[in-house]
Amino acid sequence: MPAMSRVERAFCKGMLWRGSGNAVLGSLPTDRLGRDVLEIGSGSGDIAARLRQARPDLAITATDFDPVMVRAATGRLRRYPDVTVQTADATDLPFADASFDSVLSCLMLHHIVEWEKAIAEIARVLRPGGVFAGYDLVRSPLATTIHRLDRSPFRLVNPGELESVCAEHGLTMRTQTRLAGQVMQFASH
């Protein structure tokens, strides 16, 4: 799993991302997350910080593969009790089976070329009845062009593909597309 490009890092630390944070938080099933939450690909920690502010009862583990993002998230999240930040590869998570009540992925899966391995790991670390939720870009000409111009590794996912791979690992997903079909929101049920 590669580190982010400079453009991606700037986006994750930028005003556009911060401006969309409340909408992202509103799209997550925060009432069903349980207590122990894992965020994969947490970037600068914005979603974890917003989630912790909205739900102070949560214990959040924010992870990212990119050391620059891990440092940024560590700085942002150090003031919150029960929030930890660590480096982790979503295709080889360093957690025991059934460690989390929920796993969140916000605009990250498409950065994992072998995203199917990440789904297997997510299913492994979820407790029985746990929730996998988030959103991501859908394979479209626009998203493909943007990522080709950026030259970052990517493999965009369509809702049906995500649902199928999740089902192979015991996760029944509900997906919805938004923003004229450019983004999908998903949650297991």
Side-chain angles (χ1 to χ4, degrees), residues 77-91:
L77 298 171
R78 73 170 36 113
R79 66 186 172 143
Y80 298 105
D82 292 329
V83 176
T84 59
V85 180
Q86 70 183 77
T87 302
D89 180 341
T91 65

Side-chain angles (χ1 to χ4, degrees), residues 46-180:
D46 184 63
I47 299 303
R50 289 172 193 267
L51 185 58
R52 186 63 168 79
Q53 289 166 359
R55 292 271 321 268
D57 59 311
L58 297 178
I60 301 172
T61 302
T63 65
D64 205 289
F65 187 74
D66 187 322
V68 173
M69 291 292 102
V70 170
R71 282 192 298 277
T74 299
R76 172 178 265 155
L77 298 171
R78 73 170 36 113
R79 66 186 172 143
Y80 298 105
D82 292 329
V83 176
T84 59
V85 180
Q86 70 183 77
T87 302
D89 180 341
T91 65
D92 188 22
L93 293 170
F95 307 109
D97 295 359
S99 295
F100 297 96
D101 296 313
S102 56
V103 177
L104 304 178
S105 171
C106 298
L107 204 60
M108 192 281 302
L109 275 180
H110 71 277
H111 291 290
I112 305 171
V113 174
E114 295 180 301
W115 58 264
E116 295 91 342
K117 286 183 178 180
I119 299 298
E121 283 292 280
I122 289 163
R124 181 184 67 76
V125 302
L126 272 174
R127 292 183 179 128
V131 174
F132 172 40
Y135 76 100
D136 213 309
L137 297 175
V138 172
R139 186 181 311 117
S140 69
L142 176 61
T144 300
T145 300
I146 290 168
H147 282 80
R148 283 189 179 148
L149 291 172
D150 180 43
R151 296 185 179 157
S152 61
F154 70 98
R155 185 166 156 234
L156 295 160
V157 183
N158 279 333
E161 294 168 317
L162 179 64
E163 291 169 0
S164 177
V165 171
C166 285
E168 291 172 14
H169 296 284
L171 300 171
T172 304
M173 301 301 289
R174 180 176 296 132
T175 60
Q176 294 178 300
T177 56
R178 304 238 185 254
L179 296 174

